Amino acid sequence: MHLLGIDIGSSSVKVSLISGENGDLVASSFHPKQEMKITAHEAGWAEQSPELWWENMKLALADVLAESKVAPETIESIGISYQMHGLVMIDKNMDVIRPSIIWCDSRAAQYGDQAFDEIGGQRCLTNLLNSPGNFTASKLKWVKENEPDLFAKVYKIMLPGDYIAMKLSGEVQTTVSGLSEGIMWNFKENSMADLLFENYGFSTDIIPEIVPTFAVQGQVSEKVANELGLSSKTKISYRAGDQPNNALSLNVLNPGEIATTAGTSGVVYGVSDEIKYDPQSRVNTFAHVNHTAEQARLGVLLCINGTGILNAWLKRMVGENLSYEQMNELASKVAIGSNGVTILPFGNGAERVLNNKNIGSQLSGINFNIHDKGHLLRATQEGIVFSFNYGMEIMQNIGINASVIRAGKANMFLSPIFRNTLAGISGATIELYNTDGSVGAARGAGVGSGYYKSFNEAFGSLTKLETIEPDLTKKAEYEAAYGNWKSLLEKFI
């Protein structure tokens, strides 16, 4: 038997097929081959068409089926990982009403701030664990206030993974974990967040059926099975936001464990069994994939919007003829601290870690006579790592300490500079594994369908590829560079 994982990112959609028996990767593909378009009609906006995710999912799935040549009926179940916080609105015909307002869109922050004040900060934090901020519910409030004709057509709202599951099965559903990432779940009451819905003027009727994160949530419809070359007996049995799913992919499920990613955005995600929240909501607390009312498993999430997107932007600007590996080689010739060049990576919308301020990316310390491309490339990677460390200091204040950080060996973690700098400044050991979001989603599907009887069975084949220990002999150099970076940041916040 086989398990299929779908990962709906903002840059691409990836599909992976694994062997249920041994967890080995059978085939994998992603589309588009260039970064998926994000539309920004105004500064701070970011939208994508849900139909675009579906079309790219179909292309990647076709590649996987062609490469693997597996019989459709051997695909036991499907798991879905997706970019968090996106707002998908459908009408009664299950047609999308408008493009999705995605995670890095900052237009709704004012509505979240207003609700936080009106409801009361302490009440929000103790019930919702977060400020409504710029999350999914606030995005819907923006639509209600600015596009009332479209809002009037809303039948249900969903997250991006819910939309893909609906396209596959015809079932309109969501999860507690998904609702919590939209700040639509009340942890104290273990129910939908009526206090926020009432403030925003929404009816809870717009929320789909709530299903468990791990469960048989539906099956591929006959129409879609015929269209895509799947079997109508294949189950949809797992869905989760990309960061909880990344933690699952790394078998990070228990208190004290920490996962991180550094793709378009960057995330550090720690698991707790206690109610933990930052009073300023600079890091956020959501229901983890294995959270229940009886056994709390909460994910404390630090998100930096400007991570891989900054590195990709710099490649277009100064490294167009270079591969990322060549960029890393140039950067490695420059000493720690980039000889005084400092970059703040905050150029991808308002940053929660900066109290939802949008300060833009900043470049400082350039000397035309001594600095070259290598200094810019190293300063970029250091700036991203230092933004991680800045957020991790906030996480430490609420009891999430990083002694070991797990990550997939992908994206920015392919760079020795990036991972050595993260280990050096944080003091944490970095462990890199042979997994990604789509493979994790496939394993999650196996748990949800009952193919795997436990998480230990599902992750028995997870392999550690590399361990990076902090270089204590360079600790002072890393701290000096971080101090210089932090001094620049303080000028803007």
Side-chain angles (χ1 to χ4, degrees):
M1 299 298 290
H2 299 88
L3 301 164
L4 192 71
I6 300 170
D7 187 13
I8 310 296
S10 47
S11 298
S12 64
V13 178
K14 188 171 186 180
V15 176
S16 292
L17 186 73
I18 67 171
S19 163
E21 182 180 359
N22 56 30
D24 288 349
L25 182 65
V26 176
S28 184
S29 180
F30 69 92
H31 279 269
K33 300 305 180 183
Q34 301 298 322
E35 289 191 7
M36 198 155 38
K37 183 180 180 181
I38 296 176
T39 302
H41 296 294
E42 294 187 25
W45 290 23
E47 299 181 353
Q48 283 183 328
S49 166
E51 291 91 344
L52 188 64
W53 307 329
W54 178 246
E55 291 305 318
N56 281 292
M57 189 283 295
K58 290 197 295 184
L59 292 170
L61 176 63
D63 288 350
V64 166
L65 295 178
E67 179 185 345
S68 66
K69 297 181 173 59
V70 301
E73 57 271 16
T74 70
I75 301 177
E76 158 82 9
S77 59
I78 298 172
I80 302 167
S81 167
Y82 58 89
Q83 49 173 294
M84 296 173 72
H85 317 306
L87 171 65
V88 180
M89 308 187 309
I90 60 168
D91 62 21
K92 289 185 177 181
N93 297 318
M94 297 189 186
D95 292 328
V96 173
I97 294 170
R98 72 174 322 281
S100 174
I101 303 175
I102 65 171
W103 59 276
C104 54
D105 186 298
S106 55
R107 76 184 75 177
Q110 61 176 318
Y111 295 105
D113 292 344
Q114 182 179 345
F116 190 70
D117 291 339
E118 291 175 352
I119 295 169
Q122 193 62 25
R123 189 177 177 211
C124 273
L125 292 172
T126 55
N127 286 274
L128 312 180
L129 309 187
N130 305 279
S131 164
N134 193 44
F135 295 105
T136 315
S138 300
K139 291 173 166 64
L140 183 61
K141 172 68 171 177
W142 183 93
V143 175
K144 180 175 183 286
E145 297 300 319
N146 294 274
E147 299 174 343
D149 291 345
L150 294 182
F151 181 81
K153 297 178 181 178
V154 173
Y155 169 59
K156 299 291 181 183
I157 66 168
M158 295 181 291
L159 296 152
D162 300 329
Y163 169 78
I164 295 300
M166 180 196 76
K167 293 290 286 186
L168 287 167
S169 68
E171 302 287 345
V172 185
Q173 301 166 328
T174 194
T175 63
V176 167
S177 179
L179 289 173
S180 78
E181 76 182 60
I183 319 302
M184 294 181 282
W185 189 254
N186 188 322
F187 286 87
K188 183 178 282 189
E189 303 293 335
N190 193 39
S191 64
M192 280 187 277
D194 289 339
L195 75 171
L196 185 60
F197 280 78
E198 290 170 5
N199 179 273
Y200 279 165
F202 306 152
S203 167
T204 54
D205 291 344
I206 62 174
I207 300 300
E209 175 193 7
I210 300 172
V211 295
T213 298
F214 299 97
V216 177
Q217 303 159 353
Q219 292 183 197
V220 176
S221 70
E222 287 194 18
K223 178 182 175 183
V224 170
N226 292 333
E227 178 186 357
L228 303 186
L230 295 172
S231 166
S232 60
K233 294 181 180 179
T234 297
K235 310 171 188 74
I236 293 92
S237 55
Y238 166 77
R239 72 186 76 185
D242 51 9
Q243 299 312 324
N245 177 73
N246 179 65
L248 171 79
S249 304
L250 295 160
N251 200 21
V252 170
L253 295 164
N254 297 306
E257 298 175 341
I258 290 178
T260 186
T261 59
T264 302
S265 64
V267 165
V268 179
Y269 186 98
V271 179
S272 174
D273 59 355
E274 299 175 5
I275 299 294
K276 295 179 184 290
Y277 55 83
D278 173 43
Q280 298 180 51
S281 216
R282 294 166 297 176
V283 298
N284 301 106
T285 303
F286 307 118
H288 193 28
V289 294
N290 57 338
H291 173 78
T292 65
E294 298 73 32
Q295 181 175 273
R297 290 293 182 268
L298 303 170
V300 179
L301 185 150
L302 157 71
C303 180
I304 305 295
N305 289 349
T307 303
I309 194 171
L310 169 60
N311 205 39
W313 179 85
L314 196 68
K315 185 179 189 300
R316 293 195 301 272
M317 296 300 107
V318 303
E320 191 171 356
N321 297 318
L322 300 173
S323 66
Y324 283 112
E325 186 175 358
Q326 290 170 324
M327 289 168 62
N328 293 336
E329 288 173 1
L330 277 176
S332 69
K333 297 176 182 178
V334 175
I336 294 169
S338 305
N339 201 3
V341 179
T342 304
I343 294 180
L344 303 181
F346 307 117
N348 193 26
E351 294 280 1
R352 273 172 267 160
V353 76
L354 304 181
N355 295 110
N356 279 323
K357 291 180 181 177
N358 188 350
I359 67 170
S361 185
Q362 308 292 331
L363 170 62
S364 176
I366 287 286
N367 183 308
F368 301 137
N369 299 308
I370 62 174
H371 294 136
D372 59 21
K373 195 178 294 186
H375 293 88
L376 286 175
L377 295 170
R378 182 172 190 114
T380 291
Q381 297 200 36
E382 289 183 339
I384 295 166
V385 170
F386 293 156
S387 70
F388 275 36
N389 197 65
Y390 180 80
M392 287 163 64
E393 289 176 345
I394 297 170
M395 294 176 75
Q396 288 171 7
N397 292 334
I398 57 172
I400 304 293
N401 297 295
S403 58
V404 177
I405 297 174
R406 297 180 191 170
K409 192 171 183 179
N411 300 316
M412 297 297 296
F413 280 97
L414 293 171
S415 167
I417 291 173
F418 183 85
R419 55 201 193 220
N420 289 336
T421 303
L422 181 59
I425 192 59
S426 69
T429 298
I430 311 296
E431 296 179 348
L432 302 180
Y433 289 83
N434 64 331
T435 191
D436 64 22
S438 59
V439 171
R443 287 183 167 132
V447 174
S449 71
Y451 182 84
Y452 294 130
K453 304 307 179 188
S454 67
F455 289 115
N456 286 338
E457 183 181 352
F459 291 93
S461 61
L462 187 66
T463 303
K464 187 191 302 181
L465 301 176
E466 194 169 348
T467 301
I468 299 93
E469 299 287 352
D471 187 343
L472 299 180
T473 65
K474 297 179 179 178
K475 181 176 174 59
E477 295 174 71
Y478 285 121
E479 288 182 344
Y482 177 57
N484 188 41
W485 180 92
K486 201 169 180 180
S487 295
L488 177 63
L489 175 63
E490 288 169 352
K491 294 178 181 179
F492 294 92
I493 60 171

